[in-house]
Amino acid sequence: MGISTQQIMCASDGSLTCSCSRPVSPPRRCPLTTHTGSSSSAPTLEEGGMDPWALPQLKDTGQSWKELSTASRVLRVLIGFLKACGLLGSLYLFICSLDILSSAFQLLGSKVAGDIFKDNAVLSNPVAGLVIGVLVTMLVQSSSTSSSIVVSMVASKLLTVRASVPIIMGVNVGTSITSTLVSMAQSGDRDEFRRAFGGSAVHSIFNWLTVLILLPLESAVGLLEKLSALALDTTSLQPGGHAPDILKVLTQPLTHLIVQLDAEVITNSATGNATNSSLIKRWCGTRAETTPGNSSDCVNTFGPCPETNGSATTEQLPCHHLFAGTGLTDLAVGFILLAGSLLVLCTCLVLIVKLLNSALRGRVAEAVRTVINADFPFPFSWLSGYLAILVGAGLTFVLQSSSVFTAAIVPLMGVGVISLERAYPLLLGSNLGTTTTALLAALASPANMLLSALQVALIHFFFNVAGILMWYMVPILRLPIPLAKRFGDLTARYRWVAVVYLLLSFLLLPLATFGLSLAGNTVLAAVGGPLVALVLLVILINILQRRRPAWLPRPLRSWAWLPLWLRSLEPWDRLVSRCCPCRTCRSSPATAKEAHCYENPEILASQQL
């Protein structure tokens, strides 16, 4: 009998066990202790058979309410009230720090983001337009700012509607970086990090999968462009709508005391009306003053006053924020705000997680979970996900920020309040909610920009609707969920992979693609084409190794002929552990046992990449 890699496990004492139930070629004798057991898709560790993605049991170790005295009950109520106030205060400061973080990124990269849009030859390439949308949204940390730049360029005839579609797709992808950054704050606990990073990854995976389908389709037939134009032709426009500013009303009293920015500087840089003025706003309004002439003051209560021979002068009113009269450059202020906002953001996240873990115990946790993760009774259980989509869209519409909503969902997933299956439709609804806000904002555009703004907003809306139709309506096609789980398991085992993913997905790969696009479409196709083909070939071989190994030639049925650093992350993990000796970067004991399994030559001979 040959060895079956699907049934190789490390026992709790570190010894190796396997069951030789499926022969492989060439046949080998099984040198390990055999046992009967169910097979799994990969070498696994026996950890009591618990699902790592199951919501944890948050048990209440304190006394029940009936056992408490009157004084203890009053004390418990007081402590609960203080926890609630602390949670709301931390959440408020967390939202404000996100706003300041966005301002910091705009100060650091706003003019670069505006200059990126100037090269129309590059924007004509769909792939280059996609990565430009990702880069610009990452730099300014605001999909609304990125969309407003695209609207201004389309209205100014500097960019066609067809060329703007890939940029809007990139803007949609770039918004998921905020939730990924937030999930990094829970990397101290592996189980919490698994759930939190999986929740942020499911958002990114959904956006990328939708781009992989719609970008070639849009380049071939212009589907979204034609659909948005058809929707504009069949509607009667009523300009003047405004999106609600509930969140800004709450946060602006604090954030405007720290810094205020002039977003028109970024748009002017992209449309060619660039000035050397600073992005930091120094004048926040005007006041008209009338200088009296020869006439005397009018005190006529019953009729209009006679005209006076006076002259009106306009006085600019200075802003009253921390950096209003500073002599620092935008770059220096951006670094100061970046460091401060990240410090406050991480501190608030830690406090929110600790307070949630402290408050959600026993019956309280079960009640919250039951409400959030509950399904309608059969046969209407399928409606629960669509209700979650509507809830996510409504909350994002009210908050007027998808980044705030997704950043609030991720810590709740980490502590085990919301499951990944329920967070997925909530995040999809958040994508829809931010597009409805953009539609209302487009209606408030000037008359010369109204059509362009509405068409760009409709393209963004139809992109997300198409993604929901592809990756949610049919349950078997909800691929982002299993992919996010596998990615979450990988990052929980090797936590440095999360940092590598963040740098590659949102910075290095988009920058490399943008650099190649500057050299021309021929260079981009010559370099990127073979790399994409190689990645697709490796994915295909992995699927065949798992499903139909007999279809492959014998050398390709395993990756044992590759060097260890090309088929396993263990050498890289040991290298990172030496460079980063902190506890967060070290592998868990379970990972060390699995590494011992992988070092066995019989196991390595038939391992997948």
Side-chain angles (χ1 to χ4, degrees):
M1 297 290 288
I3 191 168
S4 173
T5 59
Q6 268 71 20
Q7 293 171 291
I8 296 172
M9 291 176 286
C10 288
S12 58
D13 58 355
S15 61
L16 298 173
T17 60
C18 75
S19 66
C20 305
S21 59
R22 181 170 59 85
V24 297
S25 179
R28 302 182 181 90
R29 295 184 62 187
C30 184
L32 308 175
T33 305
T34 60
H35 70 92
T36 58
S38 58
S39 63
S40 60
S41 59
T44 57
L45 299 173
E46 293 181 349
E47 298 178 354
M50 294 182 61
D51 181 12
W53 289 94
L55 297 180
Q57 295 294 328
L58 302 176
K59 297 181 179 180
D60 192 358
T61 57
Q63 292 180 316
S64 63
W65 181 261
K66 295 181 180 179
E67 298 174 352
L68 295 176
S69 61
T70 304
S72 299
R73 291 180 180 180
V74 172
L75 182 62
R76 176 172 290 189
V77 171
L78 181 61
I79 293 175
F81 176 75
L82 293 177
K83 285 181 179 179
C85 294
L87 185 61
L88 292 176
S90 300
L91 185 61
Y92 177 77
L93 291 177
F94 168 74
I95 295 172
C96 292
S97 64
L98 281 178
D99 195 351
I100 299 299
L101 181 66
S102 174
S103 300
F105 275 107
Q106 290 184 47
L107 286 169
L108 292 174
S110 61
K111 294 187 178 178
V112 176
D115 293 338
I116 287 175
F117 279 109
K118 286 184 178 179
D119 197 340
N120 293 331
V122 175
L123 293 176
S124 61
N125 186 335
V127 178
L130 173 69
V131 298
I132 285 173
V134 175
L135 285 173
V136 170
T137 307
M138 184 201 68
L139 287 173
V140 302
Q141 279 290 293
S142 172
S143 59
S144 301
T145 303
S146 305
S147 300
S148 64
I149 295 174
V150 176
V151 168
S152 300
M153 294 190 67
V154 173
S156 303
K157 307 300 180 183
L158 298 175
L159 189 68
T160 62
V161 174
R162 170 162 289 196
S164 70
V165 176
I167 301 176
I168 293 299
M169 294 182 182
V171 168
N172 209 76
V173 171
T175 55
S176 56
I177 188 176
T178 304
S179 57
T180 308
L181 287 172
V182 169
S183 68
M184 304 291 288
Q186 294 178 272
S187 59
D189 185 275
R190 289 186 182 272
D191 291 331
E192 287 187 6
F193 188 48
R194 174 188 284 110
R195 292 188 292 266
F197 196 83
S200 64
V202 76
H203 195 197
S204 302
I205 292 171
F206 167 79
N207 289 328
W208 280 115
L209 287 177
T210 308
V211 166
L212 288 176
I213 299 298
L214 292 183
L215 184 61
L217 194 62
E218 181 66 27
S219 302
V221 298
L223 176 65
L224 295 178
E225 178 191 4
K226 295 177 180 177
L227 193 60
S228 60
L230 180 63
L232 280 179
D233 293 338
T234 56
T235 56
S236 57
L237 302 178
Q238 296 293 333
H242 293 276
D245 290 333
I246 298 177
L247 190 65
K248 289 184 179 180
V249 168
L250 295 176
T251 58
Q252 278 183 356
L254 178 60
T255 58
H256 276 192
L257 291 177
I258 300 174
V259 69
Q260 296 182 42
L261 303 183
D262 188 0
E264 293 182 359
V265 174
I266 311 175
T267 306
N268 292 336
S269 177
T271 55
N273 301 322
T275 61
N276 294 326
S277 60
S278 172
L279 190 64
I280 300 174
K281 187 181 289 187
R282 287 176 168 81
W283 307 104
C284 292
T286 57
R287 181 175 59 189
E289 292 185 352
T290 303
T291 304
N294 297 326
S295 62
S296 59
D297 296 336
C298 172
V299 197
N300 188 1
T301 310
F302 301 98
C305 292
E307 295 184 1
T308 60
N309 297 325
S311 60
T313 59
T314 302
E315 178 188 3
Q316 287 185 319
L317 299 177
C319 297
H320 299 284
H321 57 84
L322 190 61
F323 298 96
T326 182
L328 299 174
T329 62
D330 286 4
L331 193 64
V333 175
F335 277 117
I336 293 172
L337 291 178
L338 179 65
S341 61
L342 285 177
L343 179 62
V344 175
L345 181 72
C346 294
T347 304
C348 291
L349 272 176
V350 172
L351 289 175
I352 289 172
V353 171
K354 295 296 183 183
L355 289 171
L356 285 175
N357 278 327
S358 175
L360 297 177
R361 298 285 180 181
R363 294 181 179 179
V364 177
E366 292 300 326
V368 174
R369 287 177 182 172
T370 302
V371 172
I372 296 179
N373 302 303
D375 290 331
F376 290 115
F378 183 82
F380 303 105
S381 57
W382 59 275
L383 288 174
S384 304
Y386 294 99
L387 178 62
I389 292 177
L390 294 178
V391 170
L395 290 176
T396 305
F397 180 76
V398 171
L399 295 175
Q400 206 181 351
S401 175
S402 60
S403 299
V404 171
F405 180 77
T406 55
I409 289 291
V410 167
L412 292 175
M413 294 184 63
V415 299
V417 175
I418 303 178
S419 64
L420 181 62
E421 288 77 10
R422 181 48 44 90
Y424 180 52
L426 287 172
L427 294 174
L428 299 189
S430 176
N431 279 0
L432 281 182
T434 192
T435 59
T436 55
T437 302
L439 283 170
L440 284 180
L443 288 174
S445 302
N448 60 334
M449 300 174 61
L450 181 62
L451 291 177
S452 303
L454 277 175
Q455 188 161 8
V456 170
L458 285 173
I459 288 171
H460 198 182
F461 174 76
F462 288 133
F463 172 81
N464 286 288
V465 170
I468 293 175
L469 294 177
M470 287 188 293
W471 308 117
Y472 190 79
M473 283 198 66
V474 182
I476 199 175
L477 292 180
R478 294 174 186 175
L479 300 180
I481 295 179
L483 290 177
K485 285 186 175 181
R486 298 193 65 174
F487 202 26
D489 291 335
L490 180 65
T491 52
R493 188 178 305 157
Y494 308 109
R495 280 178 274 193
W496 52 269
V497 173
V499 180
V500 175
Y501 158 78
L502 192 64
L503 293 176
L504 284 177
S505 297
F506 297 102
L507 185 61
L508 298 181
L509 286 180
L511 279 177
T513 306
F514 179 66
L516 291 174
S517 64
L518 292 176
N521 295 341
T522 305
V523 176
L524 179 62
V527 177
L531 291 177
V532 173
L534 178 62
V535 171
L536 294 177
L537 180 62
V538 170
I539 294 174
L540 178 61
I541 292 175
N542 274 322
I543 295 174
L544 291 177
Q545 283 178 347
R546 182 185 299 271
R547 305 293 182 184
R548 296 289 185 270
W551 292 4
L552 294 171
R554 287 189 177 182
L556 292 180
R557 293 179 184 177
S558 71
W559 299 107
W561 50 275
L562 288 174
L564 183 61
W565 59 274
L566 280 178
R567 65 172 182 256
S568 174
L569 291 176
E570 279 305 316
W572 301 99
D573 186 62
R574 288 194 287 267
L575 178 63
V576 173
S577 298
R578 292 193 193 104
C579 299
C580 179
C582 60
R583 183 177 62 88
T584 303
C585 299
R586 293 176 185 171
S587 300
S588 62
T591 307
K593 290 182 182 180
E594 187 171 0
H596 180 55
C597 284
Y598 277 109
E599 290 171 0
N600 187 282
E602 294 289 340
I603 299 174
L604 282 176
S606 54
Q607 278 305 299
Q608 301 169 8
L609 182 64

